[in-house]
Amino acid sequence: MYEAAFVVAAYIVGSIPVGVILSKLRGKDPRNMGSGNIGATNVMRTAGKVAGIITLAGDMAKGFAPTFLALRAGFPVVLVIAIGFAAFVGHLFPVFLRFKGGKGVATALGVYLALTPIAILLSFVVFVLVLLKWRYVSAGSIAGTAVMPLILYSLKADPIYVYLSLAIGSLIILKHLGNIKRLTAGTEHKIGSPK
């Protein structure tokens, strides 16, 4: 039973809506502004750079802290993966927001940072290259997410890490379907363009 308790606790941590809390302190709600997403990019656009940066750090911490603590505690790898995935799912489907959450990129980043920092570095390079080329945060996020299973496989990571990346990647891409439609239509917001 204790394993289930740790997984549930990780989900609760992942459910903490950092971006919504910070935005409401400034009298705003990212769910009703911009793209409607509660993640760092939309919070930055609607509540300011400081709020966006803190949201990014907070959302990453939600994935990193439970996963890192599980690793440090010496839990079996399957339980560590379950805890990290639960934190990620908490951000996507938070109990505090009626299960309507963010897209999970930053929280996934935190999980991977605890599990395999080298893979994150390589994925981040892909993200930056795509962002510099096309100036779409969503496209960079999708590209960085899509290559993660290949990166982990090439690094000969534990197969369960690869399976985790496939599950996380599938959910992130599903959460980005609206962005993909806007990218296809040429209406997606670019970095540096007017709000």
Side-chain angles (χ1 to χ4, degrees), residues 47-62:
K49 290 182 179 179
V50 173
I53 291 169
I54 297 173
T55 297
L56 176 62
D59 286 347
M60 285 178 59
K62 294 190 306 186

Side-chain angles (χ1 to χ4, degrees), residues 70-81:
L71 281 169
R72 293 285 293 178
F75 291 165
V77 65
V78 173
L79 181 55
V80 172
I81 293 300

Side-chain angles (χ1 to χ4, degrees), residues 5 12 35 43 47 59 66 75 89 106 124 129 136 138 151 155 158 169 177:
I12 297 297
S35 67
V43 171
D59 286 347
F75 291 165
V89 169
F124 183 70
L129 290 174
Y136 292 114
S138 57
I151 291 171
L155 291 174
D158 189 313
L177 286 180

Side-chain angles (χ1 to χ4, degrees), residues 4-118:
F6 283 119
V7 173
V8 171
Y11 168 78
I12 297 297
V13 170
S15 290
I16 299 171
V18 179
V20 174
I21 293 170
L22 291 173
S23 296
K24 285 195 170 184
L25 290 175
R26 300 196 61 182
K28 300 181 179 182
D29 189 335
R31 295 171 295 178
N32 302 323
M33 304 175 71
S35 67
N37 186 38
I38 66 170
T41 302
N42 194 46
V43 171
M44 186 175 293
R45 290 177 187 145
T46 59
K49 290 182 179 179
V50 173
I53 291 169
I54 297 173
T55 297
L56 176 62
D59 286 347
M60 285 178 59
K62 294 190 306 186
F64 177 82
T67 310
F68 179 76
L69 291 174
L71 281 169
R72 293 285 293 178
F75 291 165
V77 65
V78 173
L79 181 55
V80 172
I81 293 300
I83 287 170
F85 188 66
F88 168 74
V89 169
H91 180 78
L92 266 61
F93 309 105
V95 65
F96 303 120
L97 298 180
R98 299 182 180 180
F99 308 104
K100 295 179 181 179
K103 297 176 181 177
V105 175
T107 306
L109 178 61
V111 173
Y112 291 134
L113 190 60
L115 294 174
T116 172
I118 295 175

